[in-house]
Amino acid sequence: MQTIDLVLHRMIQCADAWEKTGDQRCIFLRCYSMMSTNMATAITEGHFHDPIWISKLMLRFAEYYFEALDNYERHSAQTSPPWQQAHDATLHSSLHVLQCLLLGVNAHINYDLPLSLYDCLRDEWPTLHPDQQQLRQEDHEKVNQVIASTIDAVQDTVIEPHAPVMAIVDRVMGRMDEWLLSQLISSWRNEVWSVAISLLDATDPSEWEGIRQQQEQRVLERGESLKGAL
């Protein structure tokens, strides 16, 4: 597994390259790199009950993103359908910046995150005391605070340069749009904790796979809605 510094370097390097070529995939990745940088700071500053576990989760989460990206770049049949949908959508110049961002967020949070949580919890979950399980959930939920604290910067440095009209919306609505974006992401993150627990509670591989497929379908349907929004 790579270190957090190496992962952040790859995110920023890739986002820079995409931005130079006008590749709209830079929108989500720039946002993701900013949030990940703030996550690394929060870990260092001791904001989590278990910084080692949350670091492991952060890295596994990033691995899912880059595994899907590498597969997509190779035109591999192994590309996860949610990321195939999200990356393909950015090829359309008519897509709004918020659609590009939310399609990436949808694929990464609603699909990659429950799988990442499962990977990082499956070995220990059956033996954890309920109080310890609660601490894991609290660390997961504390990430929402990091996301909320990053949204202003995302709005100013990622969204507005691609859609200057959003700056006018900010002035008129008092940055209400950022609050709504933060609430949406937090809501999705809270939902996927339940999905991860369902995966952990699955009694056999066939039940586990059924839960995964059901979540994948949910994510794809939500992605279709996002493509038609705005």
Side-chain angles (χ1 to χ4, degrees), residues 51-99:
I52 294 175
W53 180 78
I54 206 73
S55 297
K56 178 182 174 184
L57 176 61
M58 180 180 169
L59 287 169
R60 186 69 188 110
F61 193 34
E63 282 179 346
Y64 269 101
Y65 172 78
F66 283 114
E67 285 168 7
L69 175 61
D70 290 342
N71 283 331
Y72 183 80
E73 295 286 295
R74 293 194 300 264
H75 305 286
S76 168
Q78 300 302 313
T79 306
S80 72
W83 276 115
Q84 184 79 43
Q85 179 190 60
H87 289 319
D88 282 351
T90 62
L91 299 174
H92 299 284
S93 60
S94 60
L95 211 65
H96 191 277
V97 58
L98 286 176
Q99 289 171 297

Side-chain angles (χ1 to χ4, degrees), residues 107-126:
H108 201 35
I109 287 182
N110 290 319
Y111 187 69
D112 293 345
L113 184 53
L115 296 177
S116 301
L117 284 165
Y118 171 80
D119 290 346
C120 293
L121 289 170
R122 62 183 173 184
D123 291 337
E124 64 173 13
W125 193 253

Side-chain angles (χ1 to χ4, degrees), residues 81-86 99 102-103 106-107 110-111 188 191 212-229:
W83 276 115
Q84 184 79 43
Q85 179 190 60
Q99 289 171 297
L102 289 175
L103 280 161
N106 177 49
N110 290 319
Y111 187 69
W188 284 354
E191 282 179 21
R212 187 203 66 76
Q213 289 182 6
Q214 185 177 50
Q215 182 64 12
E216 179 182 283
Q217 187 58 36
R218 268 195 218 105
V219 175
L220 290 172
E221 289 173 358
R222 186 169 281 166
E224 287 303 314
S225 296
L226 288 168
K227 287 197 298 182

Side-chain angles (χ1 to χ4, degrees), residues 12-29:
I12 293 168
Q13 190 176 48
C14 192
D16 286 347
W18 282 342
E19 198 162 34
K20 287 176 183 175
T21 61
D23 191 322
Q24 293 189 98
R25 288 179 295 176
C26 72
I27 295 166
F28 168 77
L29 187 53

